[in-house]
mmCIF file of all heavy atoms in Angstrom:
data_model
loop_
_atom_site.group_PDB
_atom_site.id
_atom_site.type_symbol
_atom_site.label_atom_id
_atom_site.label_comp_id
_atom_site.label_asym_id
_atom_site.label_seq_id
_atom_site.Cartn_x
_atom_site.Cartn_y
_atom_site.Cartn_z
ATOM 1 N N TYR Q 109 -0.518 12.687 10.490
ATOM 2 C CA TYR Q 109 -1.609 13.543 10.044
ATOM 3 C C TYR Q 109 -2.920 13.378 10.790
ATOM 4 O O TYR Q 109 -3.818 14.191 10.608
ATOM 5 C CB TYR Q 109 -1.869 13.337 8.549
ATOM 6 C CG TYR Q 109 -0.727 13.850 7.723
ATOM 7 C CD1 TYR Q 109 0.192 12.979 7.156
ATOM 8 C CD2 TYR Q 109 -0.539 15.211 7.539
ATOM 9 C CE1 TYR Q 109 1.256 13.455 6.416
ATOM 10 C CE2 TYR Q 109 0.522 15.694 6.800
ATOM 11 C CZ TYR Q 109 1.424 14.809 6.245
ATOM 12 O OH TYR Q 109 2.476 15.280 5.524
ATOM 13 N N SER Q 110 -3.050 12.378 11.609
ATOM 14 C CA SER Q 110 -4.330 12.147 12.277
ATOM 15 C C SER Q 110 -4.422 12.920 13.585
ATOM 16 O O SER Q 110 -3.471 12.976 14.358
ATOM 17 C CB SER Q 110 -4.520 10.658 12.549
ATOM 18 O OG SER Q 110 -5.721 10.459 13.258
ATOM 19 N N SER Q 111 -5.589 13.455 13.840
ATOM 20 C CA SER Q 111 -5.827 14.106 15.127
ATOM 21 C C SER Q 111 -6.276 13.073 16.174
ATOM 22 O O SER Q 111 -6.275 13.364 17.359
ATOM 23 C CB SER Q 111 -6.874 15.206 14.985
ATOM 24 O OG SER Q 111 -8.087 14.670 14.515
ATOM 25 N N ASN Q 112 -6.662 11.892 15.719
ATOM 26 C CA ASN Q 112 -7.060 10.811 16.611
ATOM 27 C C ASN Q 112 -6.488 9.503 16.054
ATOM 28 O O ASN Q 112 -7.130 8.820 15.251
ATOM 29 C CB ASN Q 112 -8.586 10.732 16.723
ATOM 30 C CG ASN Q 112 -9.051 9.753 17.772
ATOM 31 O OD1 ASN Q 112 -8.335 8.819 18.130
ATOM 32 N ND2 ASN Q 112 -10.258 9.957 18.261
ATOM 33 N N ILE Q 113 -5.270 9.172 16.470
ATOM 34 C CA ILE Q 113 -4.530 8.041 15.911
ATOM 35 C C ILE Q 113 -5.286 6.726 16.106
ATOM 36 O O ILE Q 113 -5.415 5.930 15.174
ATOM 37 C CB ILE Q 113 -3.114 7.962 16.520
ATOM 38 C CG1 ILE Q 113 -2.314 9.192 16.106
ATOM 39 C CG2 ILE Q 113 -2.405 6.689 16.084
ATOM 40 C CD1 ILE Q 113 -0.991 9.359 16.807
ATOM 41 N N GLY Q 114 -5.796 6.491 17.293
ATOM 42 C CA GLY Q 114 -6.511 5.244 17.565
ATOM 43 C C GLY Q 114 -7.713 5.062 16.657
ATOM 44 O O GLY Q 114 -7.942 3.975 16.119
ATOM 45 N N PHE Q 115 -8.484 6.114 16.480
ATOM 46 C CA PHE Q 115 -9.655 6.037 15.615
ATOM 47 C C PHE Q 115 -9.252 5.826 14.157
ATOM 48 O O PHE Q 115 -9.874 5.055 13.429
ATOM 49 C CB PHE Q 115 -10.511 7.291 15.760
ATOM 50 C CG PHE Q 115 -11.802 7.233 15.001
ATOM 51 C CD1 PHE Q 115 -12.795 6.325 15.350
ATOM 52 C CD2 PHE Q 115 -12.017 8.077 13.931
ATOM 53 C CE1 PHE Q 115 -13.974 6.258 14.640
ATOM 54 C CE2 PHE Q 115 -13.200 8.025 13.213
ATOM 55 C CZ PHE Q 115 -14.184 7.106 13.565
ATOM 56 N N SER Q 116 -8.194 6.484 13.730
ATOM 57 C CA SER Q 116 -7.715 6.328 12.355
ATOM 58 C C SER Q 116 -7.236 4.899 12.101
ATOM 59 O O SER Q 116 -7.497 4.331 11.033
ATOM 60 C CB SER Q 116 -6.587 7.312 12.066
ATOM 61 O OG SER Q 116 -7.058 8.633 12.152
ATOM 62 N N ILE Q 117 -6.545 4.324 13.063
ATOM 63 C CA ILE Q 117 -6.106 2.932 12.931
ATOM 64 C C ILE Q 117 -7.310 2.004 12.873
ATOM 65 O O ILE Q 117 -7.359 1.069 12.064
ATOM 66 C CB ILE Q 117 -5.144 2.553 14.076
ATOM 67 C CG1 ILE Q 117 -3.811 3.276 13.877
ATOM 68 C CG2 ILE Q 117 -4.936 1.045 14.145
ATOM 69 C CD1 ILE Q 117 -2.851 3.147 15.028
ATOM 70 N N LEU Q 118 -8.298 2.276 13.704
ATOM 71 C CA LEU Q 118 -9.529 1.486 13.676
ATOM 72 C C LEU Q 118 -10.193 1.572 12.299
ATOM 73 O O LEU Q 118 -10.641 0.558 11.752
ATOM 74 C CB LEU Q 118 -10.493 1.963 14.762
ATOM 75 C CG LEU Q 118 -11.843 1.261 14.814
ATOM 76 C CD1 LEU Q 118 -11.661 -0.212 15.189
ATOM 77 C CD2 LEU Q 118 -12.758 1.952 15.805
ATOM 78 N N LEU Q 119 -10.244 2.752 11.736
ATOM 79 C CA LEU Q 119 -10.820 2.915 10.399
ATOM 80 C C LEU Q 119 -10.020 2.150 9.352
ATOM 81 O O LEU Q 119 -10.584 1.500 8.468
ATOM 82 C CB LEU Q 119 -10.896 4.391 10.012
ATOM 83 C CG LEU Q 119 -11.978 5.215 10.700
ATOM 84 C CD1 LEU Q 119 -11.860 6.681 10.301
ATOM 85 C CD2 LEU Q 119 -13.354 4.678 10.360
ATOM 86 N N TYR Q 120 -8.692 2.222 9.445
ATOM 87 C CA TYR Q 120 -7.859 1.486 8.488
ATOM 88 C C TYR Q 120 -8.151 -0.011 8.576
ATOM 89 O O TYR Q 120 -8.366 -0.672 7.551
ATOM 90 C CB TYR Q 120 -6.365 1.749 8.724
ATOM 91 C CG TYR Q 120 -5.521 0.850 7.852
ATOM 92 C CD1 TYR Q 120 -5.376 1.129 6.495
ATOM 93 C CD2 TYR Q 120 -4.925 -0.294 8.363
ATOM 94 C CE1 TYR Q 120 -4.652 0.292 5.672
ATOM 95 C CE2 TYR Q 120 -4.196 -1.136 7.543
ATOM 96 C CZ TYR Q 120 -4.056 -0.841 6.202
ATOM 97 O OH TYR Q 120 -3.350 -1.686 5.392
ATOM 98 N N PHE Q 121 -8.163 -0.533 9.777
ATOM 99 C CA PHE Q 121 -8.400 -1.970 9.929
ATOM 100 C C PHE Q 121 -9.830 -2.353 9.548
ATOM 101 O O PHE Q 121 -10.057 -3.445 9.040
ATOM 102 C CB PHE Q 121 -8.061 -2.443 11.341
ATOM 103 C CG PHE Q 121 -6.589 -2.595 11.555
ATOM 104 C CD1 PHE Q 121 -5.935 -1.827 12.494
ATOM 105 C CD2 PHE Q 121 -5.850 -3.491 10.806
ATOM 106 C CE1 PHE Q 121 -4.570 -1.962 12.682
ATOM 107 C CE2 PHE Q 121 -4.484 -3.627 10.978
ATOM 108 C CZ PHE Q 121 -3.848 -2.855 11.918
ATOM 109 N N SER Q 122 -10.748 -1.466 9.745
ATOM 110 C CA SER Q 122 -12.141 -1.759 9.386
ATOM 111 C C SER Q 122 -12.354 -1.808 7.878
ATOM 112 O O SER Q 122 -13.133 -2.623 7.391
ATOM 113 C CB SER Q 122 -13.081 -0.711 9.985
ATOM 114 O OG SER Q 122 -13.025 -0.750 11.381
ATOM 115 N N PHE Q 123 -11.680 -0.931 7.148
ATOM 116 C CA PHE Q 123 -11.962 -0.805 5.728
ATOM 117 C C PHE Q 123 -10.886 -1.358 4.791
ATOM 118 O O PHE Q 123 -11.203 -1.745 3.662
ATOM 119 C CB PHE Q 123 -12.220 0.661 5.365
ATOM 120 C CG PHE Q 123 -13.474 1.204 5.977
ATOM 121 C CD1 PHE Q 123 -13.402 2.123 7.011
ATOM 122 C CD2 PHE Q 123 -14.716 0.781 5.541
ATOM 123 C CE1 PHE Q 123 -14.555 2.624 7.591
ATOM 124 C CE2 PHE Q 123 -15.874 1.275 6.113
ATOM 125 C CZ PHE Q 123 -15.800 2.202 7.148
ATOM 126 N N PHE Q 124 -9.629 -1.383 5.220
ATOM 127 C CA PHE Q 124 -8.558 -1.709 4.280
ATOM 128 C C PHE Q 124 -7.685 -2.892 4.676
ATOM 129 O O PHE Q 124 -6.982 -3.441 3.828
ATOM 130 C CB PHE Q 124 -7.658 -0.482 4.064
ATOM 131 C CG PHE Q 124 -8.407 0.704 3.561
ATOM 132 C CD1 PHE Q 124 -8.662 1.787 4.379
ATOM 133 C CD2 PHE Q 124 -8.885 0.739 2.260
ATOM 134 C CE1 PHE Q 124 -9.365 2.878 3.926
ATOM 135 C CE2 PHE Q 124 -9.595 1.827 1.790
ATOM 136 C CZ PHE Q 124 -9.835 2.902 2.617
ATOM 137 N N TYR Q 125 -7.695 -3.278 5.917
ATOM 138 C CA TYR Q 125 -6.796 -4.335 6.395
ATOM 139 C C TYR Q 125 -7.028 -5.661 5.669
ATOM 140 O O TYR Q 125 -6.084 -6.287 5.182
ATOM 141 C CB TYR Q 125 -6.963 -4.508 7.906
ATOM 142 C CG TYR Q 125 -6.158 -5.640 8.486
ATOM 143 C CD1 TYR Q 125 -4.780 -5.550 8.589
ATOM 144 C CD2 TYR Q 125 -6.778 -6.804 8.942
ATOM 145 C CE1 TYR Q 125 -4.038 -6.579 9.137
ATOM 146 C CE2 TYR Q 125 -6.042 -7.833 9.485
ATOM 147 C CZ TYR Q 125 -4.671 -7.728 9.581
ATOM 148 O OH TYR Q 125 -3.952 -8.740 10.103
ATOM 149 N N LEU Q 126 -8.267 -6.110 5.586
ATOM 150 C CA LEU Q 126 -8.539 -7.392 4.938
ATOM 151 C C LEU Q 126 -8.147 -7.365 3.464
ATOM 152 O O LEU Q 126 -7.664 -8.366 2.928
ATOM 153 C CB LEU Q 126 -10.006 -7.798 5.109
ATOM 154 C CG LEU Q 126 -10.409 -8.143 6.545
ATOM 155 C CD1 LEU Q 126 -11.895 -8.474 6.607
ATOM 156 C CD2 LEU Q 126 -9.575 -9.284 7.099
ATOM 157 N N GLU Q 127 -8.330 -6.238 2.817
ATOM 158 C CA GLU Q 127 -7.895 -6.102 1.424
ATOM 159 C C GLU Q 127 -6.376 -6.225 1.325
ATOM 160 O O GLU Q 127 -5.857 -6.779 0.359
ATOM 161 C CB GLU Q 127 -8.347 -4.764 0.843
ATOM 162 C CG GLU Q 127 -9.837 -4.598 0.755
ATOM 163 C CD GLU Q 127 -10.503 -5.607 -0.164
ATOM 164 O OE1 GLU Q 127 -9.911 -5.975 -1.201
ATOM 165 O OE2 GLU Q 127 -11.618 -6.035 0.159
ATOM 166 N N SER Q 128 -5.666 -5.719 2.313
ATOM 167 C CA SER Q 128 -4.200 -5.765 2.277
ATOM 168 C C SER Q 128 -3.667 -7.187 2.416
ATOM 169 O O SER Q 128 -2.515 -7.448 2.087
ATOM 170 C CB SER Q 128 -3.598 -4.873 3.361
ATOM 171 O OG SER Q 128 -3.705 -5.456 4.639
ATOM 172 N N LEU Q 129 -4.492 -8.098 2.884
ATOM 173 C CA LEU Q 129 -4.067 -9.496 2.991
ATOM 174 C C LEU Q 129 -4.114 -10.199 1.641
ATOM 175 O O LEU Q 129 -3.425 -11.201 1.443
ATOM 176 C CB LEU Q 129 -4.949 -10.252 3.988
ATOM 177 C CG LEU Q 129 -4.907 -9.771 5.434
ATOM 178 C CD1 LEU Q 129 -5.864 -10.585 6.293
ATOM 179 C CD2 LEU Q 129 -3.500 -9.830 5.989
ATOM 180 N N GLY Q 130 -4.928 -9.712 0.746
ATOM 181 C CA GLY Q 130 -5.062 -10.358 -0.548
ATOM 182 C C GLY Q 130 -4.384 -9.600 -1.667
ATOM 183 O O GLY Q 130 -3.662 -10.163 -2.478
ATOM 184 N N PHE Q 131 -4.601 -8.322 -1.712
ATOM 185 C CA PHE Q 131 -4.068 -7.508 -2.800
ATOM 186 C C PHE Q 131 -2.798 -6.811 -2.327
ATOM 187 O O PHE Q 131 -2.768 -5.603 -2.118
ATOM 188 C CB PHE Q 131 -5.125 -6.499 -3.251
ATOM 189 C CG PHE Q 131 -6.444 -7.144 -3.599
ATOM 190 C CD1 PHE Q 131 -7.586 -6.848 -2.884
ATOM 191 C CD2 PHE Q 131 -6.525 -8.068 -4.624
ATOM 192 C CE1 PHE Q 131 -8.794 -7.427 -3.200
ATOM 193 C CE2 PHE Q 131 -7.726 -8.672 -4.953
ATOM 194 C CZ PHE Q 131 -8.869 -8.354 -4.234
ATOM 195 N N ILE Q 132 -1.738 -7.584 -2.180
ATOM 196 C CA ILE Q 132 -0.538 -7.065 -1.515
ATOM 197 C C ILE Q 132 0.198 -6.027 -2.357
ATOM 198 O O ILE Q 132 0.720 -5.055 -1.815
ATOM 199 C CB ILE Q 132 0.407 -8.188 -1.058
ATOM 200 C CG1 ILE Q 132 0.891 -9.050 -2.214
ATOM 201 C CG2 ILE Q 132 -0.279 -9.045 -0.003
ATOM 202 C CD1 ILE Q 132 1.901 -10.122 -1.821
ATOM 203 N N ARG Q 133 0.218 -6.185 -3.661
ATOM 204 C CA ARG Q 133 0.892 -5.189 -4.506
ATOM 205 C C ARG Q 133 0.118 -3.877 -4.493
ATOM 206 O O ARG Q 133 0.695 -2.805 -4.353
ATOM 207 C CB ARG Q 133 1.017 -5.684 -5.947
ATOM 208 C CG ARG Q 133 1.953 -6.856 -6.105
ATOM 209 C CD ARG Q 133 2.030 -7.351 -7.548
ATOM 210 N NE ARG Q 133 0.725 -7.806 -8.004
ATOM 211 C CZ ARG Q 133 0.142 -7.413 -9.135
ATOM 212 N NH1 ARG Q 133 0.737 -6.562 -9.936
ATOM 213 N NH2 ARG Q 133 -1.043 -7.863 -9.478
ATOM 214 N N GLN Q 134 -1.188 -3.979 -4.633
ATOM 215 C CA GLN Q 134 -2.018 -2.782 -4.626
ATOM 216 C C GLN Q 134 -1.947 -2.081 -3.272
ATOM 217 O O GLN Q 134 -1.917 -0.853 -3.199
ATOM 218 C CB GLN Q 134 -3.485 -3.123 -4.923
ATOM 219 C CG GLN Q 134 -3.720 -3.692 -6.290
ATOM 220 C CD GLN Q 134 -3.690 -5.220 -6.309
ATOM 221 O OE1 GLN Q 134 -2.911 -5.855 -5.608
ATOM 222 N NE2 GLN Q 134 -4.523 -5.809 -7.139
#
Side-chain angles (χ1 to χ4, degrees):
Y109 292 103
S110 177
S111 60
N112 188 336
I113 295 171
F115 185 66
S116 296
I117 289 172
L118 178 65
L119 286 175
Y120 173 76
F121 282 118
S122 297
F123 293 109
F124 302 107
Y125 176 71
L126 292 178
E127 296 298 324
S128 75
L129 297 178
F131 307 117
I132 60 176
R133 292 179 299 129
Q134 296 93 323

